[in-house]
Amino acid sequence: MRAYWDDGARRNAAWYVDTTLSYEEPDMVRFLAGGQHIVTELFDRVPVEPAGRGLAVEIGSGLGRVCLALSARFERVIGVDISPEMVRRAGELVRDPRVTFQIGNGLGLGGIEDACANLVLSFTVFQHIPRPAIVHRYLTEAGRVLRPGGLLVFQWNNIAGARRWAARRAILSALQRTGVHPERYRRHAPEFLGSRIPLAPLERTLEQSGLKLRGTTGLGTLFAQAWAVRRADHDGVTRERSG
């Protein structure tokens, strides 16, 4: 995943974060405004407010546009991304001293303390992860770093047919890799095609990680979203699972 997104960042970082932009001439004003739109939409729909506005953490922060929008609502924001190139460019684009970026290992939120965050957010990231186990790991890590009453907001691909999608992904990826029928922008790589994941196993992971699902929207679509709150009575299973 790191090699794929590093390459995408070098090719056209803004477009790989937001493929609704023009590839040849990405509109950066529109791009940054998109971060504000994402945060506004997520918080306008939120069924429960986070307990406090101290620290927000974004999983898959890309060029930092969502982190920048979150800085208007939280005292401090940390963006975590697997791509060193994305992190470097985010630091150049976002100069707000309340926002910092760090390179993640693609498996969790290492380097962020237990029970320190009021919000963990991820948008258009889980849909690209090819192994569902990694998505589950991130949910577990969210449970670890959130304070009691903290809020997890995430989006993922909930279209039906997870196994059929995995088989189709394998075929498209092979055609991309061999050059037999490549997609121009390398969107047929498994690191872009990602996974489709049913809600039920995600909800089980949330429960095991001390998180209570409080609402969903867009089920059955690419842009399914969920909100979950860190329970105050959690007994430490999250820390054990993430260790």
Side-chain angles (χ1 to χ4, degrees), residues 1 106-107 125-140 154 156-157 159 161-163 165-167 169 190 193-199 201-205 241:
M1 291 190 295
L107 295 172
V125 174
F126 291 168
Q127 70 184 56
H128 294 301
I129 294 177
R131 292 175 54 198
I134 296 175
V135 176
H136 287 273
R137 174 75 179 205
Y138 273 121
L139 298 183
T140 296
F154 66 96
W156 85 104
N157 185 346
I159 297 174
R163 292 182 180 179
W165 179 245
R169 183 186 67 199
L193 293 172
S195 303
R196 297 176 177 179
I197 309 177
L199 174 61
L202 295 180
E203 188 168 8
R204 287 194 293 270
T205 296
R241 286 171 58 83

Side-chain angles (χ1 to χ4, degrees), residues 1 5 12 27-28 39-40 43 52 58-59 72 79 83 105 118 123 128 136-137 146 166 187 196 204:
M1 291 190 295
W5 292 107
N12 193 327
D27 183 339
M28 293 306 293
V39 171
T40 299
F43 275 85
E58 184 187 8
I59 299 170
S83 164
N105 62 8
N118 303 96
F123 186 79
H128 294 301
H136 287 273
R137 174 75 179 205
L146 280 169
R187 288 178 293 184
R196 297 176 177 179
R204 287 194 293 270

Side-chain angles (χ1 to χ4, degrees), residues 74-88:
F74 291 84
E75 297 172 10
R76 192 162 61 98
V77 182
I78 299 174
V80 180
D81 201 280
I82 192 174
S83 164
E85 185 64 18
M86 284 287 187
V87 168
R88 184 184 71 78

Side-chain angles (χ1 to χ4, degrees), residues 56-61 67 77-81 87 99-103:
V57 176
E58 184 187 8
I59 299 170
S61 49
C67 287
V77 182
I78 299 174
V80 180
D81 201 280
V87 168
V99 181
T100 58
F101 300 98
Q102 66 182 53
I103 300 167

Side-chain angles (χ1 to χ4, degrees), residues 98-185:
R98 294 168 296 180
V99 181
T100 58
F101 300 98
Q102 66 182 53
I103 300 167
N105 62 8
L107 295 172
L109 299 171
I112 299 179
E113 297 178 359
D114 295 358
C116 67
N118 303 96
L119 174 77
V120 174
L121 180 148
S122 185
F123 186 79
T124 61
V125 174
F126 291 168
Q127 70 184 56
H128 294 301
I129 294 177
R131 292 175 54 198
I134 296 175
V135 176
H136 287 273
R137 174 75 179 205
Y138 273 121
L139 298 183
T140 296
E141 281 286 271
R144 178 181 67 81
V145 304
L146 280 169
R147 295 175 178 271
L151 179 66
L152 167 65
V153 184
F154 66 96
Q155 172 270 332
W156 85 104
N157 185 346
N158 186 237
I159 297 174
R163 292 182 180 179
R164 290 193 304 274
W165 179 245
R168 183 167 181 261
R169 183 186 67 199
I171 294 170
L172 291 173
S173 299
L175 294 174
Q176 180 79 52
R177 185 176 62 255
T178 59
V180 173
H181 187 64
E183 198 273 338
R184 177 184 175 187
Y185 304 112

